[in-house]
Amino acid sequence: MHQALSTMPALTGSLDTDENALAWAAHDYGDTVHHLPTAVLRPANAADISTVIKHAGEHDLAVVPRGQGHSTGGQAQAPGGVVIDMTALSVIHEVESDHVVVDAGAKWSDVLRATLPHGLTPPVLTDYLELTVGGTLSVGGLGGASHHHGAQTDNVLSLDVVTPTGDVVTCSPSTNRSVFDAVRAGRGRNGVITRATLRLVRAPETVSWHKLHYNTIGQLIVDQRQLVTKGSFDYVEGQLKIREGEHVAELEAVTFTGTSSGSGDLSGMSFREAETQAVTYWDFVDRLAPGEPVLRDVGLWDSPHPWCNLLVPSAAAEALLHHADRELGADLYSDFGLVLAYPLRTDRITTPLIRLPDDEVVFLVAALRYAPAASPQIVTAMHEANGQLISKTLAAGGALYLDPL
Ligand SMILES: Cc1cc2nc3c(=O)[nH]c(=O)nc-3n(C[C@H](O)[C@H](O)[C@H](O)COP(=O)(O)OP(=O)(O)OC[C@H]3O[C@@H](n4cnc5c(N)ncnc54)[C@H](O)[C@@H]3O)c2cc1C
């Protein structure tokens, strides 16, 4: 046992050092980086986190918070240090007409289950809801509504934080601003978020969801750019993939029924065909949930995911997506992989620690690769392919999103 643990002051929660706890904390969704910590803290409150941070600081021991562990590059791991299991703090405290107060270990799906009965929703949601509030606020949290509302970190009213020196503070745009700016997108290294007050807006009951298919990547991104510049839809995303042997270039444009500020106008666009469906807001925002058991069944949920997330200036997006599209045909994604590609307006993203290319509209490009279990050569090839995407992006003035620390 590390000497620091034997002298740890009393805690209300637990400090686990058993093999299972350590192995759990050395694993993430990426499944390519595995660092064993010395202990896992399951805190009962912010005071436990403060105690451990102060004590670990005296012994030069790293302390890293972990949410759902859906990072793909070891970001929530603490080699030889202490991992804090933030899911131990996951209470939804109160829902008011314009905000909700939640513990940072709560999942966004639980936040929505609490707010939707009041007809309310956070304005920006990630595509997958089984991520913790603290986990996405520590990276930014981008989604199809970000071209209107920025990142999730731009929609936070206040945070309770344990600082790297163990102080427990509340911060907001008007109180302890430096802590507020350091911890949002601070990737767990500038303080531990224990509680968040999140902005809420009116939620629609249903949405109109268009999937538009394009003949060319060039047409796809011209239309995407135009939609976010005009603000005509509430949600805009898109993806490249191969399905049944065909290359697919798809734009997703969604109107929130009854709460929309956009026109929802599809005229003048260059898509080849459109598929439109009306679904409940919940079914739309939780749309990735049915895919999880499918991926588990084929063994691709608990296998390596060498993912790569990039923020690309508009001028470089088409060339990069052509490169990614060629890779899609070269077996670097498996049957379930895809390239997510959608535009963001940089004037809507104000979180200081989110690194953005210098452009009015930038594209989030995410190479979402699935490697079969026990396939180190495929994982290496996927990492090499990511390296090429990263070099091209950086050379074009782009930036990395969610990169390993
Ligand atoms: C299937 C899937 C879909 C995704 N979709 C999107 C998407 O649409 N948009 C998007 O932006 N991202 C998306 N992501 C990425 C995801 O937002 C990040 O990886 C996020 O950090 C994961 O949250 P988590 O709770 O699993 O955090 P973890 O992986 O456990 O931790 C991630 C980082 O957050 C830090 N951290 C965790 N909790 C706290 C806390 N309480 N205080 C301070 N720091 C903390 C950790 O130290 C670490 O650096 C997706 C990931 C997956 C696997």
Side-chain angles (χ1 to χ4, degrees):
M1 182 185 288
H2 194 286
Q3 191 210 341
L5 300 188
S6 53
T7 54
M8 183 70 72
L11 301 166
T12 311
S14 67
L15 196 61
D16 299 332
T17 54
D18 63 276
E19 228 173 76
N20 286 344
L22 303 188
W24 168 83
H27 182 269
D28 62 25
Y29 188 74
D31 194 24
T32 61
V33 177
H34 303 96
H35 293 300
L36 282 173
T38 295
V40 175
L41 169 66
R42 298 214 157 85
N45 46 41
D48 277 351
I49 297 173
S50 167
T51 300
V52 168
I53 287 181
K54 282 182 179 161
H55 188 71
E58 288 163 13
H59 294 82
D60 228 7
L61 209 58
V63 180
V64 176
R66 171 188 162 115
Q68 282 294 324
H70 276 88
S71 297
T72 53
Q75 291 90 333
Q77 297 178 23
V82 179
V83 168
I84 309 174
D85 177 3
M86 293 304 298
T87 64
L89 302 177
S90 59
V91 174
I92 312 285
H93 291 276
E94 61 188 51
V95 182
E96 298 292 340
S97 61
D98 60 354
H99 70 265
V100 57
V101 181
V102 302
D103 282 348
K107 293 185 293 184
W108 287 96
S109 56
D110 293 329
V111 175
L112 274 161
R113 284 190 187 96
T115 64
L116 284 183
H118 300 267
L120 298 166
T121 179
V124 181
L125 295 168
T126 48
D127 296 347
Y128 178 64
L129 299 178
E130 305 309 312
L131 310 167
T132 63
V133 169
T136 68
L137 294 186
S138 86
V139 293
L142 299 170
S146 288
H147 70 281
H148 280 299
H149 300 289
Q152 289 180 323
T153 43
D154 298 314
N155 292 281
V156 175
L157 301 178
S158 80
L159 296 170
D160 287 355
V161 170
V162 184
T163 69
T165 49
D167 297 319
V168 180
V169 301
T170 297
C171 60
S172 71
S174 56
T175 312
N176 292 314
R177 179 69 193 240
S178 59
V179 176
F180 192 63
D181 285 347
V183 81
R184 289 177 303 142
R187 306 202 292 166
R189 301 315 190 263
N190 299 336
V192 178
I193 303 166
T194 55
R195 196 177 280 203
T197 303
L198 307 169
R199 188 164 86 88
L200 295 177
V201 295
R202 206 150 66 82
E205 281 182 16
T206 59
V207 311
S208 182
W209 182 5
H210 306 286
K211 292 183 182 172
L212 312 173
H213 289 181
Y214 283 77
N215 287 327
T216 71
I217 290 171
Q219 289 170 328
L220 166 74
I221 63 177
V222 165
D223 277 1
Q224 281 183 317
R225 238 191 98 99
Q226 208 159 56
L227 292 193
V228 303
T229 306
K230 289 199 285 195
S232 35
F233 286 86
D234 298 293
Y235 165 105
V236 175
E237 285 203 5
Q239 48 189 257
L240 307 178
K241 56 195 173 190
I242 293 187
R243 294 295 179 266
E244 292 164 9
E246 298 288 325
H247 284 253
V248 177
E250 180 178 282
L251 190 161
E252 288 177 283
V254 179
T255 302
F256 296 167
T257 317
T259 65
S260 183
S261 54
S263 64
D265 185 7
L266 292 174
S267 62
M269 295 173 65
S270 309
F271 53 87
R272 180 183 73 237
E273 58 191 33
E275 189 192 304
T276 300
Q277 52 181 322
V279 297
T280 65
Y281 181 66
W282 171 257
D283 282 347
F284 173 66
V285 296
D286 198 37
R287 64 198 172 280
L288 293 195
E292 188 176 325
V294 176
L295 286 166
R296 285 188 190 282
D297 276 356
V298 297
L300 289 177
W301 185 261
D302 292 314
S303 66
H305 304 108
W307 286 10
C308 169
N309 288 265
L310 307 161
L311 291 166
V312 183
S314 277
E318 185 172 349
L320 193 80
L321 290 177
H322 276 296
H323 176 92
D325 193 50
R326 283 192 295 276
E327 271 187 356
L328 274 167
D331 220 10
L332 286 161
Y333 285 84
S334 93
D335 292 345
F336 289 83
L338 56 87
V339 179
L340 204 59
Y342 61 87
L344 304 162
R345 289 179 52 153
T346 50
D347 63 346
R348 305 299 160 103
I349 299 175
T350 58
T351 303
L353 288 183
I354 299 182
R355 284 164 296 165
L356 290 168
D358 184 14
D359 202 347
E360 283 172 20
V361 174
V362 300
F363 280 74
L364 176 78
V365 175
L368 306 182
R369 307 175 194 273
Y370 294 82
S375 58
Q377 284 170 338
I378 296 179
V379 172
T380 302
M382 289 179 170
H383 277 307
E384 282 170 6
N386 286 344
Q388 287 188 26
L389 287 174
I390 291 168
S391 304
K392 285 178 186 296
T393 298
L394 296 180
L400 305 186
Y401 176 59
L402 304 178
D403 50 316
L405 291 141

